[in-house]
Amino acid sequence: MSEITFSDLIGKTILIGLTYYTADDEFIEQKQYWGTVIESNENRILVKLNDGELFGLPPDLSSTKIAPPGEYRLRSTGEVVVDPDYLTTWNINRPKED
């Protein structure tokens, strides 16, 4: 299987999963979004979310994979996304507060 390229993402549906942790790696929350990739290059990946908002992702394809066919239920909203093209997941550590 060939690697995903930036140009592969353009016009495709992507499901985004974000998991937030404290600076000490304690779980805070998970968020999920989905939409259509409208820009994808070495500078950024820009997604037009299903609600019309724009959402930027870092230009790193290592956490992006081809989505297996099926229905994906968003935990936060109960919304079902059918057969997205790609999945991307990110773990985000919040900085330590002084």
Side-chain angles (χ1 to χ4, degrees):
M1 179 181 282
S2 61
E3 286 189 31
I4 296 169
T5 65
F6 289 112
S7 61
D8 291 339
L9 300 180
I10 301 290
K12 302 293 185 182
T13 301
I14 191 166
L15 183 58
I16 304 162
L18 307 176
T19 304
Y20 292 90
Y21 295 93
T22 66
D24 297 321
D25 288 328
E26 292 179 28
F27 173 80
I28 299 173
E29 66 180 335
Q30 285 184 319
K31 293 189 177 185
Q32 296 169 306
Y33 305 95
W34 71 277
T36 303
V37 178
I38 60 172
E39 182 180 336
S40 178
N41 55 48
E42 294 79 13
N43 298 313
R44 69 176 176 176
I45 297 170
L46 190 61
V47 180
K48 184 173 185 179
L49 299 177
N50 63 307
D51 65 4
E53 293 287 320
L54 296 180
F55 190 87
L57 291 168
D60 179 352
L61 298 175
S62 64
S63 67
T64 301
K65 63 181 184 177
I66 295 172
E71 295 184 351
Y72 295 79
R73 182 174 303 277
L74 278 61
R75 289 184 193 98
S76 57
T77 64
E79 188 175 7
V80 175
V81 180
V82 179
D83 295 334
D85 298 296
Y86 294 96
L87 305 174
T88 188
T89 57
W90 295 83
N91 293 331
I92 302 160
N93 285 78
R94 298 257 165 98
K96 205 171 213 120
E97 296 181 11
D98 293 330

